[in-house]
Amino acid sequence: IPRLVLSLVLAVAVLAGGLVYGVKKFQLVDVYHAYVSDSSYIQDHYVSPRDVKLIFPKEKRNLIHIYLESIETTYLSKELGGYMKTNLMPELTQLAGEGVSFSHTPDTFGGPRQTVGSSWSVAAMVNMELGLPLKIPMNGNSYGKSGKFLPGAVGIGDILKAQGYEQTIMFGADSDFGGLTSFFQNHGDFNFMDYKAVKEKGLIPKDYKVWWGYEDDKLYEYAKMELTRLAGEDKPFYFVMETADTHFPDGYLSPNAKTPFDKQYANVIFYSQAETVKFVRWIQSQPFYENTTIVINGDHLSMDQNFFKDFDPNYRRTCFNLILNPTPNCTSAPDTRFHNREWATFDMLPTMLASIGVEIEGNKLGIGTNLFSDTPTLFERDGTDFVNEELEKRSNFYNEHILVDWSRVGGDKKDK
């Protein structure tokens, strides 16, 4: 009997230890939240653009949205709010002095807290364009292959298309990756200037392949061509582009880049941000800039683990954000709107619309909040930990109303 009792105790101990290990190793709590539990948080706070009054200015402004791959405020010097001894982004820092940005600190650069469903490029675009996290029951870069991408949601591309905007999406990779073809077709019927399109236009040879497709040096040159075309159209435009050279691991170092730093990734960042500013300066020299707002966002935190391996884990890394030439009602907002803010990338949807002079009933779209307004964000009202915990959980509303086009299958538009 003692042996039996001992064996039973050991078996229970092994089982308990295995469960603890399994929960930690395989993140079973997260799995439970994602697939079993249900939270009404998104349903309770989702504001569909279908149901909100949006008032555009009489003269509609152009909007340019530049996603900078993995660009963080971390790369700034410590006195600016970054983590570096030497500022890796001096040109971008200078440019920021001409616009507005939102920080979690009282007096230095900062940015949004990364949320569930926003930590890779496609997810970051969904957050900013649709005001929603990307919560999908499969590999994030496999979604959208069916030709549908969150068809129940309404985003900025849908809104601006309905207002007569001409729209283009541009990046050096193949837009089929991550379902971005479906995403930008479903939500705004964008013109595409991706890797395939550029080859079809004869701008690069059919067998050309650098990094993800074509490099950022070419991206900026082709972007100038496309913006010149858009500006020649008799309608406002929305132009979206994403860089790629600063993608992990180590980034792609242009042959034109100088190498003042020991680490390749630092040299890539240093060169990339300077080229971004050159591109912005070109835009500012164009006649159309007077009626154009530029939004610049680091899309998500960098995944380059080697570069950050010796960082203090208590340092808060945030993505860079900047808005240039917004409407006067935005620039005249009190300073409290720009500092000591807790916000997420999904807040960019209403914020971008506000930056081009759109009045938003209630200052909310998706689950995002117009940062130029005095309306608290979800993070500010409910706390960052609580919001993230709720977003981790399964949302039946999201699965039944966002993943499918519920408005075409008898859904009540007022049912939120």
Side-chain angles (χ1 to χ4, degrees):
I1 291 181
R3 286 185 179 180
L4 181 61
V5 172
L6 179 62
S7 297
L8 181 60
V9 170
L10 288 174
V12 170
V14 170
L15 177 62
L19 285 173
V20 171
Y21 175 80
V23 167
K24 183 176 181 181
K25 178 70 174 177
F26 301 108
Q27 298 180 312
L28 296 183
V29 172
D30 292 345
V31 172
Y32 174 81
H33 285 328
Y35 294 101
V36 181
S37 66
D38 174 51
S39 167
S40 65
Y41 193 79
I42 292 178
Q43 178 177 4
D44 293 342
H45 298 95
Y46 181 68
V47 177
S48 172
R50 296 183 180 97
D51 304 333
V52 172
K53 188 175 183 180
L54 302 174
I55 303 175
F56 277 73
K58 185 175 181 180
E59 183 181 7
K60 295 170 184 172
R61 292 179 69 80
N62 306 313
L63 178 60
I64 296 173
H65 192 186
I66 304 173
Y67 289 94
L68 300 180
E69 171 65 48
S70 305
I71 292 297
E72 306 182 19
T73 55
T74 310
Y75 310 142
L76 301 172
S77 56
K78 291 185 178 181
E79 62 269 20
L80 294 173
Y83 198 82
M84 303 293 152
K85 292 181 180 179
T86 302
N87 184 5
L88 299 183
M89 305 196 298
E91 288 85 357
L92 201 54
T93 302
Q94 184 177 8
L95 181 67
E98 302 174 20
V100 296
S101 60
F102 300 94
S103 176
H104 65 288
T105 74
D107 54 10
T108 62
F109 285 93
R113 190 177 292 274
Q114 191 156 277
T115 60
V116 172
S118 71
S119 60
W120 68 102
S121 294
V122 178
M125 289 183 171
V126 168
N127 275 257
M128 292 189 234
E129 304 284 324
L130 301 185
L132 282 165
L134 183 53
K135 292 171 62 68
I136 49 178
M138 60 186 73
N139 179 276
N141 287 322
S142 298
Y143 185 67
K145 299 298 185 183
S146 67
K148 296 293 183 183
F149 203 116
L150 305 185
V154 176
I156 191 169
D158 303 294
I159 294 166
L160 296 183
K161 178 188 174 184
Q163 290 289 327
Y165 277 65
E166 180 85 1
Q167 306 189 111
T168 292
I169 174 67
M170 189 169 190
F171 29 67
D174 186 332
S175 63
D176 287 342
F177 179 77
L180 288 175
T181 301
S182 296
F183 178 50
F184 285 100
Q185 283 178 341
N186 290 176
H187 297 287
D189 194 23
F190 283 68
N191 305 305
F192 283 81
M193 284 286 285
D194 68 334
Y195 178 53
K196 295 195 306 295
V198 165
K199 286 194 294 184
E200 290 170 1
K201 292 177 183 293
L203 296 174
I204 55 175
K206 295 289 186 182
D207 60 350
Y208 190 87
K209 183 68 181 293
V210 171
W211 200 229
W212 287 79
Y214 65 90
E215 67 276 31
D216 290 348
D217 286 344
K218 287 184 169 56
L219 180 76
Y220 289 124
E221 291 307 308
Y222 303 154
K224 293 175 184 177
M225 295 166 53
E226 180 63 7
L227 281 170
T228 300
R229 184 192 72 80
L230 289 170
E233 300 288 329
D234 188 25
K235 58 179 70 174
F237 64 79
Y238 177 37
F239 176 81
V240 184
M241 63 178 286
E242 179 170 37
T243 64
D245 286 1
T246 46
H247 199 284
F248 85 102
D250 298 328
Y252 169 77
L253 187 63
S254 167
N256 300 319
K258 296 179 181 179
T259 54
F261 304 103
D262 294 336
K263 294 183 178 180
Q264 173 167 311
Y265 201 47
N267 289 317
V268 171
I269 293 164
F270 183 70
Y271 176 78
S272 178
Q273 59 84 36
E275 292 302 299
T276 299
V277 174
K278 287 180 184 178
F279 175 60
V280 171
R281 295 301 187 200
W282 176 86
I283 295 172
Q284 291 175 324
S285 71
Q286 304 306 303
F288 64 78
Y289 180 64
E290 181 180 359
N291 193 43
T292 299
T293 296
I294 303 175
V295 177
I296 302 175
N297 288 105
D299 59 352
H300 55 77
L301 298 180
S302 174
M303 302 177 195
D304 199 302
Q305 295 182 1
N306 288 333
F307 189 75
F308 297 93
K309 64 181 180 181
D310 297 323
F311 275 48
D312 180 352
N314 293 317
Y315 173 77
R316 177 170 164 180
R317 293 164 55 191
T318 62
C319 294
F320 182 84
N321 72 97
L322 174 63
I323 301 179
L324 295 166
N325 202 28
T327 53
N329 62 307
C330 294
T331 54
S332 63
D335 189 63
T336 52
R337 307 276 171 87
F338 304 104
H339 294 283
N340 291 318
R341 301 300 306 273
E342 288 293 347
W343 60 285
T345 50
F346 50 68
D347 292 313
M348 286 307 300
L349 169 60
T351 302
M352 286 194 293
L353 285 170
S355 77
I356 58 172
V358 180
E359 295 179 28
I360 305 166
E361 179 186 17
N363 288 308
K364 288 183 173 290
L365 287 176
I367 61 170
T369 303
N370 171 17
L371 295 171
F372 289 110
S373 74
D374 60 1
T375 305
T377 67
L378 291 182
F379 273 175
E380 289 169 334
R381 197 195 70 183
D382 295 339
T384 57
D385 290 342
F386 177 80
V387 175
N388 266 317
E389 287 171 6
E390 291 302 308
L391 294 182
E392 279 183 349
K393 297 175 182 177
R394 175 188 175 93
S395 169
N396 288 335
F397 169 80
Y398 191 100
N399 293 342
E400 296 168 6
H401 293 246
I402 301 299
L403 284 174
V404 299
D405 190 356
W406 57 277
S407 66
R408 295 186 179 180
V409 291
D412 180 357
K413 293 199 295 184
K414 298 296 182 182
D415 176 18
K416 293 187 284 186

